[in-house]
Amino acid sequence: MSGIGISRRGLLAGASALGTTAALSACGAKTGSGTSSAAGAQADTSGDTVKVGLLNSLSGTMAISEVTVHNALLLAVKEINAAGGVLGKKLKPVSQDGASDWPTFAEKAEALITDDKVVATFGCWTSASRKAVKPVFERYKSLLFYPVQYEGLEQSPYIFYIGATTNQQIVPALDYLKKQGLTRLYLVGSDYVFPRTANKIIKAYAEAQGMKVVGEDYAPLGSTEFSTIVNKVKDAGADAVFNTLNGDSNVAFFKEYKSAGLSAKSLPVLSVSIAEEEVKSIGTQYLEGQLTAWNYYETTPGAANTKFVAAYQAAYGKDKPTSDPMEAAYISVYLWKEMVEKAGSFDVAKVKKASAGIELDAPEGRVIVDGATQHVYKTARIGRIGSDGLIEEVWNSGKPIEPDPYLKGYDWAAGLS
């Protein structure tokens, strides 16, 4: 039995594809064989197994976040193989270490496509890594499933964005802060594309909604020196900090924050890149009471999540938490599986065409693939970090939010893209 609930629509789509499975298994070939320009022509589907690429930072400053994403991907592959594989073929995961270095991500992506001949790749975390590999996947017409929330304002025909886009995380977070009367914001982020673009969006929102950005600072990714920034935050007269730091910089930031006498009670921080795994690494004594914005928490109710948490902890340890990016990575493999089975083929063009309307009863709740944007309908959630290191939900959007990566539904966002 698989580790995730599949919707009736997904089951019917998968059943309709089963009739072609035997023929595909018997006469397997390279995807798109017959023309080198066909989508995904490099992928080898000729054997009893097909390779899937896992592209994560297993070393460097981002390993604090990405190793667990890699583990969640492996779990999904293992479960799918135990249930019979995809179109009668078992999945063989091929892991590459992006090493928290964006040119390395591009190099490893190309190796997965051209040397390993994977049928799809799952991974990346930072937007810098995604931007680095985007032209590689587009050049070779191969698919990347990207699991992490991001700044939006992007769409690629060869990327499926499984994490939240801006209107499913940052905008709901700002709405929540405004409703709490926290209207004077200080922006702190890592110095690369996601924080800078996210803060551009936050400033546009604030101007339109009567909020005020009282300060804005960036630190190099991996920075461990935050005394100057924290002192500026302390003196700025802010109501809240909006945090877009990534990786292990968060450890240094929150330790300095507490050292300066700041707390969730005196000056709350809302983070969009700190999940349960980072909480454990940073220390709950530095984070208790602080806010996060995601689409999934380990505490999210539902049978699908109970099963996911149990399966993950059985595989990696009872003390290992689950988190939003891990869950999105996990379901990304299942979403791809459903697309392939609906298409009856590993061919990229056919998989893309089949993607519209695929839905899962995921650990985070119901998710639906929007074929037009290759993003996913997701429920927004605000949580508060507890003394036990878990994040308890304090608000949710009530239903999955349609993805709007270019914020076309918001007048204040005109001109951002």
Side-chain angles (χ1 to χ4, degrees), residues 11 20 40 49 85 119 139 174-175 204 206 262 268 359 361:
L11 284 169
T20 63
T49 63
V119 291
R139 182 186 321 129
L174 291 167
D175 289 342
L262 298 173
E359 59 181 275
D361 176 19

Side-chain angles (χ1 to χ4, degrees), residues 34 65 73 128 153 214 267 280 282 298 317-319 332 364 410:
S65 300
L73 290 168
L153 307 182
V214 297
L267 185 57
K280 183 176 180 181
I282 295 167
E298 184 178 321
K318 291 183 178 180
D319 62 335
S332 71
E364 66 183 84
Y410 301 89

Side-chain angles (χ1 to χ4, degrees), residues 170-191:
I170 289 177
V171 173
L174 291 167
D175 289 342
Y176 179 82
L177 290 175
K178 183 183 177 187
K179 287 178 182 177
Q180 302 303 309
L182 305 174
T183 59
R184 293 172 59 83
L185 305 181
Y186 202 108
L187 312 182
V188 177
S190 297
D191 193 5

Side-chain angles (χ1 to χ4, degrees), residues 28 100 106 109 159 174 193 217 242 246 301 316 331 338 347 355 383 395:
S100 306
I159 300 177
L174 291 167
V193 61
D217 272 297
F242 204 107
N246 264 264
Y316 298 108
I331 68 169
E338 289 298 295
D347 179 82
S355 67
W395 175 89

Side-chain angles (χ1 to χ4, degrees), residues 293-310:
W294 289 106
N295 308 101
Y296 165 88
Y297 299 115
E298 184 178 321
T299 56
T300 297
N305 188 38
T306 299
K307 185 184 295 184
F308 169 58
V309 173

Side-chain angles (χ1 to χ4, degrees), residues 87-352:
L87 294 184
K89 296 177 185 289
K90 295 296 179 72
L91 307 180
K92 181 179 180 179
V94 181
S95 299
Q96 291 281 9
D97 181 8
S100 306
D101 178 71
W102 323 141
T104 299
F105 265 91
E107 174 189 332
K108 299 297 187 180
E110 186 163 21
L112 286 168
I113 297 167
T114 62
D115 296 340
D116 298 306
K117 302 187 185 306
V118 298
V119 291
T121 299
F122 302 85
C124 295
W125 178 294
T126 67
S127 289
S129 65
R130 190 192 68 253
K131 294 286 189 184
V133 304
K134 179 174 175 283
V136 177
F137 286 95
E138 291 175 346
R139 182 186 321 129
Y140 290 105
K141 300 181 179 179
S142 186
L143 289 180
L144 169 68
F145 285 74
Y146 178 66
V148 185
Q149 48 78 17
Y150 84 115
E151 71 281 357
L153 307 182
E154 180 182 297
Q155 191 173 326
S156 169
Y158 295 99
I159 300 177
F160 280 90
Y161 303 80
I162 311 303
T165 188
T166 320
N167 74 306
Q168 299 166 318
Q169 186 196 33
I170 289 177
V171 173
L174 291 167
D175 289 342
Y176 179 82
L177 290 175
K178 183 183 177 187
K179 287 178 182 177
Q180 302 303 309
L182 305 174
T183 59
R184 293 172 59 83
L185 305 181
Y186 202 108
L187 312 182
V188 177
S190 297
D191 193 5
Y192 73 100
V193 61
F194 164 64
R196 286 194 174 273
T197 306
N199 286 344
K200 181 171 71 171
I201 292 167
I202 291 169
K203 286 183 287 186
Y205 175 102
E207 183 177 357
Q209 299 294 325
M211 300 174 78
K212 186 175 179 61
V213 173
V214 297
E216 180 178 2
D217 272 297
Y218 299 91
L221 196 64
S223 176
T224 59
E225 173 48 55
F226 283 95
S227 58
T228 300
I229 289 177
V230 168
N231 284 331
K232 289 170 69 175
V233 169
K234 189 174 183 179
D235 295 337
D239 296 327
V241 176
F242 204 107
N243 172 30
T244 53
L245 291 169
N246 264 264
D248 53 13
S249 289
N250 278 297
V251 178
F253 173 74
F254 278 100
K255 287 183 177 180
E256 187 65 39
Y257 205 77
K258 183 175 182 179
S259 178
L262 298 173
S263 66
K265 186 174 181 179
S266 64
L267 185 57
V269 180
L270 191 150
S271 301
V272 292
S273 292
I274 290 180
E276 287 85 344
E277 183 65 26
E278 289 79 18
V279 170
K280 183 176 180 181
S281 298
I282 295 167
T284 54
Q285 68 270 34
Y286 301 106
L287 291 171
E288 185 177 356
Q290 300 291 13
L291 298 168
T292 65
W294 289 106
N295 308 101
Y296 165 88
Y297 299 115
E298 184 178 321
T299 56
T300 297
N305 188 38
T306 299
K307 185 184 295 184
F308 169 58
V309 173
Y312 187 85
Q313 293 181 342
Y316 298 108
K318 291 183 178 180
D319 62 335
K320 300 298 184 183
T322 58
S323 68
D324 182 290
M326 293 162 59
E327 187 266 354
Y330 175 78
I331 68 169
S332 71
V333 189
Y334 278 96
L335 288 169
W336 168 78
K337 173 183 181 289
E338 289 298 295
M339 295 174 196
V340 170
E341 293 184 344
K342 181 180 175 182
S345 172
F346 292 99
D347 179 82
V348 169
K350 294 177 181 178
V351 170
K352 281 164 45 64

